[in-house]
Amino acid sequence: MARIFCVANQKGGVGKTTTCVNLAAALQARRQRVLLVDLDPQGNATMGSGIDKRDLTRTVYQVLVGIADFAACRMRSPNGGYDLLPANRELAGAEVEMVSLERREHRLRDALAGVIDEYDFVLVDCPPSLSMLTLNGLCASHGVIIPMQCEYYALEGLSDLVNTIKKVHANLNAELKIIGLLRVMFDARITLQQQVSAQLESHFGAKVFEAVVPRNVRLAEAPSHGMPGVVFDPSAKGAKAYVAFAKEMIQRVKAL
Ligand code: ADP
Ligand code: MG
């Protein structure tokens, strides 16, 4: 049975999508069966997986509002090798439409229930908000992966996210836990980043992943080629960090 992880942080531009796409491809390369769910109307994980969001008529939107089956919307990332439940701007409508539907927080969980045996990992790329979509991601998951930049304001935002996770754990999904914090876009030359990184380690201990993803332009270039960074340039430092992260995830899952 798959372990389901959502990659969440209500801030935009912190590396959620980059983490999802690269972790999915790196896990797939280690012979894990992977599904990536794009839960952001921006559709960046879809594009980064090599699928043009503008061409799609069936996406995660149809699955969430109950007008299409998962199987009819699932695709395969041509370069990543993993399965993808894609998204595009149509998904923005789901936010409002789901409010009046039954089991509105559990729509994704219910949709995944039938396919969970087909995968080892399901990764959910959340939008940059603590919205109904993110709530669906949290309710469907066994755990949360939190990518973060080591900046002062990152810590402030973290407490809001941790509180939301606690509430979801208490009220909607007792299985949910924080799997770990992933330091991304890290620049060891910047003293503040080192300080925040040390603070994270002392406060969250083993919840901080050992893998650290450096700031690396090859990771940023990869999406324009419709490829995960780990496929686009496996020799780049950023790609190597995501491969190390994938290995760490496989180990953590064994311990769950
Ligand atoms: P989010 O999904 O949280 O909004 P993204 O993964 O889209 O964040 O990342 C935001 C921007 O930063 C993107 O342009 C992405 O290519 C770039 N980026 C992400 N991680 C790195 C990194 N480690 N090094 C350099 N650029 C990165
Ligand atoms: Mg994103």
Side-chain angles (χ1 to χ4, degrees):
M1 193 185 82
R3 307 302 295 185
I4 308 178
F5 301 106
C6 66
V7 177
N9 188 323
Q10 74 276 26
K11 285 181 69 173
V14 294
K16 290 181 289 299
T17 300
T18 305
T19 296
C20 278
V21 166
N22 283 286
L23 178 59
L27 287 170
Q28 183 71 36
R30 299 192 75 77
R31 297 206 201 89
Q32 303 294 308
R33 298 168 302 162
V34 182
L35 169 70
L36 173 56
V37 178
D38 190 351
L39 210 53
D40 186 344
Q42 293 181 91
N44 292 344
T46 300
M47 297 295 276
S49 297
I51 289 171
D52 195 334
K53 62 183 177 183
R54 292 161 297 194
D55 299 339
L56 302 173
T57 51
R58 284 184 296 202
T59 67
V60 65
Y61 166 78
Q62 277 80 7
V63 174
L64 289 176
V65 299
I67 53 178
D69 282 343
F70 173 89
C73 304
R74 162 171 45 188
M75 304 183 82
R76 173 71 51 87
S77 164
N79 298 310
Y82 49 84
D83 281 356
L84 175 77
L85 191 55
N88 58 24
R89 55 193 302 184
E90 201 177 8
L91 180 59
E95 197 74 60
V96 177
E97 287 169 49
M98 280 194 299
V99 171
S100 59
L101 298 177
E102 60 187 40
R103 289 180 60 75
R104 58 185 179 181
E105 296 96 350
H106 299 289
R107 309 289 299 182
L108 181 62
R109 183 192 188 103
D110 294 348
L112 293 176
V115 296
I116 193 163
D117 287 332
E118 295 176 36
Y119 300 101
D120 299 304
F121 284 88
V122 176
L123 305 175
V124 182
D125 187 20
C126 289
S129 59
L130 295 173
S131 59
M132 185 57 78
L133 286 170
T134 297
L135 214 49
N136 264 264
L138 294 172
C139 285
S141 298
H142 298 109
V144 191
I145 296 166
I146 307 174
M148 55 184 305
Q149 285 172 261
C150 291
E151 291 169 348
Y152 175 71
Y153 289 115
L155 291 173
E156 208 177 72
L158 196 56
S159 58
D160 291 339
L161 180 58
V162 170
N163 284 334
T164 301
I165 292 167
K166 279 184 188 158
K167 278 187 203 153
V168 172
H169 179 268
N171 300 309
L172 292 164
N173 177 9
E175 277 187 272
L176 187 68
K177 48 167 92 71
I178 296 177
I179 301 299
L181 287 99
L182 177 67
R183 290 162 285 183
V184 297
M185 297 188 228
F186 191 73
D187 187 342
R189 292 167 303 182
I190 298 174
T191 309
L192 177 66
Q193 294 213 4
Q194 283 179 350
Q195 286 169 349
V196 173
S197 174
Q199 255 177 314
L200 281 179
E201 282 173 352
S202 65
H203 194 262
F204 289 94
K207 289 271 182 217
V208 181
F209 289 109
E210 277 173 35
V212 178
V213 180
R215 186 171 281 286
N216 177 238
V217 71
R218 301 298 273 168
L219 287 175
E221 286 168 355
S224 66
H225 300 269
M227 279 187 213
V230 295
V231 177
F232 175 61
D233 185 355
S235 66
K237 280 189 177 152
K240 286 183 175 161
Y242 274 116
V243 169
F245 177 47
K247 289 182 193 164
E248 204 178 340
M249 277 302 293
I250 291 170
Q251 289 307 318
R252 287 220 181 186
V253 163
K254 283 185 191 150
L256 282 178

